[in-house]
Amino acid sequence: MFKRKLLALDHHAPDSVNINDEREIKNLVLWLENQKIRRYKIENRGVLEADGPQWRANFEKYCKDLASPIVDGSMEEKLEWLIGYAVSLEYADDVGKYKAQTAENISKTVLTAPKVESSNPLDNMDFESADFKKGVLTLAQILNITPHPDHLITLQAVSKVVRERLSQEALDNPNNIIVKGKPFPFQEADLGFDMGDYVLNQAAKILRLLYIHDLRDLQTNINETIVAVQSITADPKTDTKLGQVGR
Amino acid sequence: MVVRDYNDELKYLERIDANSWRIKKGFQPNMNVEGVFYVNSALEKLMFDELRNACRPGMVGGFLPGMKQIANVAALPGIVHRSIGLPDVHSGYGFAIGNMAAFDMNDPLSIVSPGGVGFDINCGVRLLRTNLFEKDVQPVKEQLAQSMFDHIPVGVGSKGIIPMTATNLEEALEMGMDWSLREGYIWAEDKEHCEEYGRMLNADPSKVSMRAKKRGLPQLGTLGAGNHYAEIQVVDEIYDKWAASKMGIEDKGQVCVMIHSGSRGFGHQVATDALVQMEKAMKRDNIETNDRQLACARINSQEGQDYLKAMAAAANFAWVNRSSMTFLSRQAFAKQFHMTPDDLDMHVIYDVSHNIAKVEEHVVDGKQKTLLVHRKGSTRAFPPHHPLIPVDYQLTGQPVLIGGTMGTCSYVLTGTEQGMQQTFGSTCHGAGRALSRAKSRRNLEYTDVLNKLQQQGIAIRVASLKLVMEEAPESYKNVTDVVDTCHAAGISKKCIKLRPIAVIKG
């Protein structure tokens, strides 16, 4: 929780703040007040000491003193606001410095950073070597894929077949993973337009099929999302006393 | 209205092809575009008889004949392309039912008319499939019909059994089917297979009167009366095997559930409120129409915008309503067969709206335009690859659900490219009345109607017997004629025919 904001505030342990632990919350609030917010005078900050009595009430008052808009929210929301407030103070302290940190500037710094030597053997391969081309061709032949003049496109097709048809899941349960469509005489289907050339029309038909395939995947994803949401929201009810049914 | 001799009227009508007629300018005053209507020989006779009757001296009062209404709509400001009558067209309030028209959003004079949407805003049809077959259901047909009747509140003044507070209603009006999803009444896939994904985003509950909300609150989750129904149907014929298979329909005899309902008293009140506002707007903006019932307001006016937002809220109401009944139907089936709805594969095939106005993009005379498309008694039927239809139907075109009348059959069609060009991607919605309600009551006996249904082996549960006469198949145009005309004209394509084995009605 709050990792990025705490990192920005130079917190000593941004990764490991556990907001379910009351003690850690208390320490975090005190740290924020001591280091960043400084709303109270030093001598008055004792009210936020973790061992202090009535910490909760003091904390509520502290939030009120800071004019926090979160009145009825959970502890998490209150902390979120408090940390955000501290970040905004930090920013206001040195606007000039932070303003320069635009996305553009940051990407420049990244580019000038030293390159890390990759340990991935694929990065050191020559994809244009005759050896590689031959390998792709052989692979395509084994998998029964028609090669494309550009061997990289052939490789894409190989990758697709391996991912979709030769995954562990697909090998274990071919019936569930590999869609068994029903045949449809798409050659006779109405294309909707005529380009006056048999070959072009054929190509258009195949493009349409590919498009429909993509669309089906999209619609399936949409349906799965709806079903996932339904598992949270759905609660169908009927009450036959409300109306009259049957006679 | 121009009074002319029948033979003089005929001079303004011209056959385009076997299935369509043109209504030329001058048939009614101030027509901005031509009219067109789709018929086959049987429906053609009905249309022309209606016109001939209206031309007889001394015929006043009642609704204008359908053809005249189509022509009056063609005289509204901002209309583009044509005023279109689908094969099931019959006289209605202002716009004929089965009349669709589109207005250019970029023309400041264009109008929106509540009469072009209808009083039952977002009345529509939803079709659920099951993995049951007729042989599984026939032996327990009566029990199943009773179980549905015991789960779904039906009839005039019926009240819903899903607990709703005023706050729930506000949320439902804003969220549409997303509300039903959130509360867990429906499945994620239901939303995917629903026109507009079950939610009009421009809905604004604050534009809806308290009165409408008061009427609507207890009615949410009820079937209603009139031509609304829930039917257990079996697949009788498959015309397009591939499209049917995309919808999860594998073979003849497969059992489906069709729910036909709308926004109940809520939508009616929204429309009534809007008509009052629009009359004021017409006076202020000097909008002239051929028929007082065609009350309308400029799309960009306060009244126009308010209506569109309230209408969207009513549309959301209807989707929540059909969703609630989907939930109840699934429960009824689950109880009867001691299986979960999941195991019964009770997925929504599709859900269509046939009384609605929507903003859509269309190509008119080679130019892309943003239009406000009014569909009253007309179903959207978008072609394959249209971006607004679900991914599962990208190759087949949008499923179009055509509810038949009590005891006749229903159809599933699919949208076509030709329909997109000729009718703004619209097709018929059902059978369409041939006899008025009063006339049906005079001419038919309810015992005869019930006996006939029994002979056909259809179980029926009905809350009001008077309704049985009004809704008898004899009171309607033949839905097969209507659907065949749409198929022959190419504005949609036949896919599945369904026949009922049990009917639940108001």
Side-chain angles (χ1 to χ4, degrees):
Chain A
M1 280 307 285
F2 312 131
K3 180 181 163 188
R4 291 161 71 97
K5 284 180 185 165
L6 289 176
L7 205 61
L9 291 171
D10 282 333
H11 187 264
H12 46 86
D15 288 334
S16 60
V17 174
N18 177 8
I19 61 143
N20 294 322
D21 183 335
E22 193 158 330
R23 181 139 199 108
E24 286 197 27
I25 293 176
K26 290 176 179 176
N27 285 333
L28 177 61
V29 172
L30 187 66
W31 181 83
L32 284 170
E33 169 62 11
N34 274 333
Q35 302 296 322
K36 306 289 168 188
I37 300 177
R38 303 188 189 101
R39 172 75 174 72
Y40 295 159
K41 285 186 184 144
I42 296 181
E43 53 270 32
N44 295 341
R45 289 182 195 157
V47 292
L48 294 172
E49 288 285 353
D51 301 327
Q54 295 164 346
W55 186 88
R56 182 60 67 144
N58 290 337
F59 175 68
E60 295 294 336
K61 179 166 179 306
Y62 178 60
C63 288
K64 217 169 143 192
D65 291 341
L66 291 173
S68 161
I70 316 288
V71 181
D72 298 321
S74 65
M75 192 55 169
E76 202 176 321
E77 287 169 286
K78 287 176 180 163
L79 279 180
E80 165 92 50
W81 182 84
L82 203 61
I83 298 170
Y85 181 64
V87 171
S88 74
L89 290 176
E90 195 82 340
Y91 178 80
D93 278 350
D94 197 353
V95 177
K97 177 181 157 195
Y98 296 113
K99 231 176 159 176
Q101 299 291 325
T102 59
E104 239 172 24
N105 282 340
I106 290 185
S107 62
K108 259 186 220 158
T109 20
V110 172
L111 280 180
T112 52
K115 283 256 159 49
V116 184
E117 270 309 303
S118 164
S119 57
N120 187 345
L122 289 176
D123 288 350
N124 298 324
M125 247 159 112
D126 180 5
F127 297 114
E128 298 303 322
S129 72
D131 213 22
F132 182 77
K133 286 181 184 172
K134 214 178 115 203
V136 171
L137 197 67
T138 321
L139 205 52
Q141 274 162 356
I142 294 170
L143 293 171
N144 240 339
I145 296 167
T146 317
H148 186 273
D150 182 346
H151 66 287
L152 290 180
I153 292 180
T154 313
L155 186 61
Q156 278 181 358
V158 168
S159 144
K160 202 169 171 187
V161 169
V162 171
R163 255 185 301 134
E164 288 181 7
R165 294 291 161 99
L166 300 175
S167 68
Q168 196 55 46
E169 276 176 285
L171 290 176
D172 290 347
N173 287 312
N175 291 332
N176 293 352
I177 304 291
I178 298 167
V179 185
K180 281 224 181 59
K182 284 183 204 134
F184 187 90
F186 81 100
Q187 294 288 12
E188 291 148 41
D190 190 356
L191 184 60
F193 54 86
D194 183 11
M195 293 193 287
D197 181 290
Y198 176 77
V199 179
L200 273 180
N201 281 344
Q202 286 300 95
K205 277 185 180 174
I206 289 165
L207 279 178
R208 283 216 137 138
L209 283 186
L210 288 172
Y211 171 68
I212 291 171
H213 184 79
D214 282 355
L215 211 55
R216 184 62 258 174
D217 281 348
L218 173 67
Q219 185 69 57
T220 305
N221 286 337
I222 292 172
N223 290 354
E224 282 168 0
T225 311
I226 293 175
V227 171
V229 174
Q230 272 188 320
S231 67
I232 302 168
T233 60
D235 182 21
K237 288 186 279 282
T238 53
D239 182 357
T240 42
K241 284 197 280 305
L242 291 173
Q244 192 188 13
V245 283
R247 252 153 275 215
Chain B
M1 183 179 154
V2 193
V3 182
R4 272 188 296 254
D5 197 50
Y6 178 61
N7 287 322
D8 289 338
E9 296 281 26
L10 290 184
K11 288 179 193 151
Y12 290 93
L13 302 169
E14 181 186 62
R15 181 185 283 285
I16 302 173
D17 54 36
N19 293 105
S20 58
W21 284 76
R22 177 180 290 127
I23 304 175
K24 290 193 265 192
K25 289 186 186 178
F27 185 63
Q28 287 292 82
N30 306 320
M31 285 170 68
N32 294 318
V33 294
E34 291 184 330
V36 64
F37 58 93
Y38 292 86
V39 284
N40 67 5
S41 54
L43 300 168
E44 185 176 298
K45 190 174 168 305
L46 286 171
M47 291 287 282
F48 280 86
D49 282 352
E50 189 187 38
L51 180 67
R52 184 185 292 125
N53 282 335
C55 287
R56 280 204 312 244
M59 284 303 288
V60 279
F63 285 135
L64 295 171
M67 281 187 225
K68 286 281 176 189
Q69 289 193 319
I70 294 169
N72 281 339
V73 167
L76 290 173
I79 187 168
V80 292
H81 191 42
R82 300 187 292 194
S83 169
I84 296 161
L86 283 320
D88 48 344
V89 73
H90 60 281
S91 306
Y93 184 91
F95 279 61
I97 296 158
N99 187 183
M100 69 83 42
F103 299 83
D104 188 350
M105 293 286 284
N106 291 319
D107 178 348
L109 299 180
S110 286
I111 55 95
V112 52
S113 171
V117 172
F119 282 92
D120 192 358
I121 296 168
N122 192 5
C123 181
V125 181
R126 173 176 291 203
L127 188 63
L128 310 180
R129 67 169 188 243
T130 71
N131 54 14
L132 299 166
F133 277 81
E134 192 173 3
K135 63 174 178 2
D136 307 316
V137 174
Q138 271 300 353
V140 292
K141 185 173 68 183
E142 290 293 334
Q143 292 93 311
L144 195 57
Q146 187 61 40
S147 174
M148 291 275 279
F149 200 59
D150 288 341
H151 277 80
I152 302 176
V154 298
V156 181
S158 54
K159 289 182 178 162
I161 58 166
I162 289 175
M164 289 289 284
T165 64
T167 324
N168 292 152
L169 180 69
E170 294 279 331
E171 288 175 350
L173 293 180
E174 191 189 322
M175 295 172 68
M177 262 166 76
D178 285 343
W179 183 86
S180 306
L181 266 179
R182 190 186 74 185
E183 301 298 317
Y185 291 103
I186 52 167
W187 304 344
E189 293 83 356
D190 296 0
K191 177 180 167 71
E192 182 189 338
H193 284 174
C194 183
E195 194 169 317
E196 215 70 24
Y197 297 98
R199 175 180 190 169
M200 296 277 270
L201 291 168
N202 60 334
D204 185 351
S206 71
K207 301 294 180 194
V208 176
S209 69
M210 267 322 286
R211 185 140 184 231
K213 287 176 189 165
K214 274 207 177 110
R215 273 179 82 174
L217 181 59
Q219 291 180 338
L220 201 54
T222 65
L223 187 67
N227 58 351
H228 296 154
Y229 59 76
E231 274 185 356
I232 300 167
Q233 306 177 333
V234 294
V235 174
D236 197 41
E237 197 86 56
I238 296 177
Y239 307 99
D240 183 340
K241 182 177 145 209
W242 300 110
S245 135
K246 280 274 171 203
M247 300 175 198
I249 298 298
E250 298 303 341
D251 219 336
K252 282 189 204 178
Q254 195 169 337
V255 174
C256 294
V257 180
M258 184 176 272
I259 298 167
H260 177 202
S261 185
S263 50
R264 311 281 287 106
F266 184 87
H268 197 281
Q269 191 62 45
V270 167
T272 312
D273 293 340
L275 286 172
V276 178
Q277 297 302 318
M278 302 246 161
E279 285 201 11
K280 287 184 209 151
M282 286 176 79
K283 235 176 243 159
R284 184 193 62 217
D285 296 337
N286 295 320
I287 305 173
E288 303 243 330
T289 60
N290 289 341
D291 181 354
R292 225 182 129 248
Q293 291 182 352
L294 288 171
C296 56
R298 296 201 173 129
I299 297 173
N300 296 322
S301 68
Q302 186 66 43
E303 290 82 0
Q305 284 299 313
D306 284 355
Y307 171 67
L308 284 173
K309 288 170 186 166
M311 183 209 72
N316 287 345
F317 182 99
W319 277 313
V320 174
N321 197 28
R322 288 199 285 277
S323 295
S324 298
M325 283 184 282
T326 303
F327 173 74
L328 298 170
S329 307
R330 282 176 179 153
Q331 285 200 325
F333 267 71
K335 209 176 260 181
Q336 181 64 45
F337 292 99
H338 306 292
M339 279 165 90
T340 64
D342 255 318
D343 291 333
L344 290 166
D345 194 36
M346 293 186 74
H347 277 282
V348 170
I349 290 179
Y350 205 60
D351 177 304
V352 296
S353 323
H354 52 229
N355 277 6
I356 204 155
K358 284 202 262 194
V359 179
E360 291 171 3
E361 297 287 320
H362 287 273
V363 176
V364 184
D365 302 328
K367 279 195 216 92
Q368 187 179 340
K369 285 196 168 164
T370 308
L371 306 176
L372 182 64
V373 181
H374 289 62
R375 292 194 183 90
K376 180 186 195 180
S378 162
T379 317
R380 193 185 78 177
F382 278 167
H385 306 301
H386 194 284
L388 293 183
I389 65 176
V391 51
D392 292 345
Y393 303 128
Q394 283 285 316
L395 288 171
T396 63
Q398 180 209 312
V400 180
L401 311 176
I402 307 300
T405 47
M406 189 170 67
T408 63
C409 47
S410 297
Y411 287 88
V412 182
L413 317 178
T414 50
T416 63
E417 198 56 49
Q418 199 178 341
M420 198 62 186
Q421 286 154 15
Q422 287 190 8
T423 59
F424 300 104
S426 312
T427 190
C428 62
H429 88 298
R433 288 202 85 84
L435 295 183
S436 73
R437 292 189 174 275
K439 209 166 177 184
S440 323
R441 280 207 296 272
R442 284 198 300 275
N443 292 1
L444 299 164
E445 279 295 330
Y446 75 85
T447 41
D448 295 344
V449 179
L450 289 181
N451 284 339
K452 205 169 156 200
L453 287 174
Q454 204 177 9
Q455 277 163 22
Q456 289 173 297
I458 302 174
I460 177 160
R461 294 290 181 282
V462 59
S464 150
L465 288 170
K466 185 177 75 183
L467 205 76
V468 174
M469 287 116 71
E470 292 180 8
E471 294 299 324
E474 289 84 351
S475 312
Y476 281 88
K477 295 183 180 176
N478 183 346
V479 66
T480 303
D481 272 337
V482 169
V483 164
D484 285 347
T485 307
C486 289
H487 183 83
I491 56 175
S492 47
K493 203 170 142 210
K494 284 206 282 189
C495 179
I496 302 167
K497 181 185 180 190
L498 299 148
R499 94 185 125 77
I501 55 171
V503 188
I504 317 298
K505 266 190 99 72

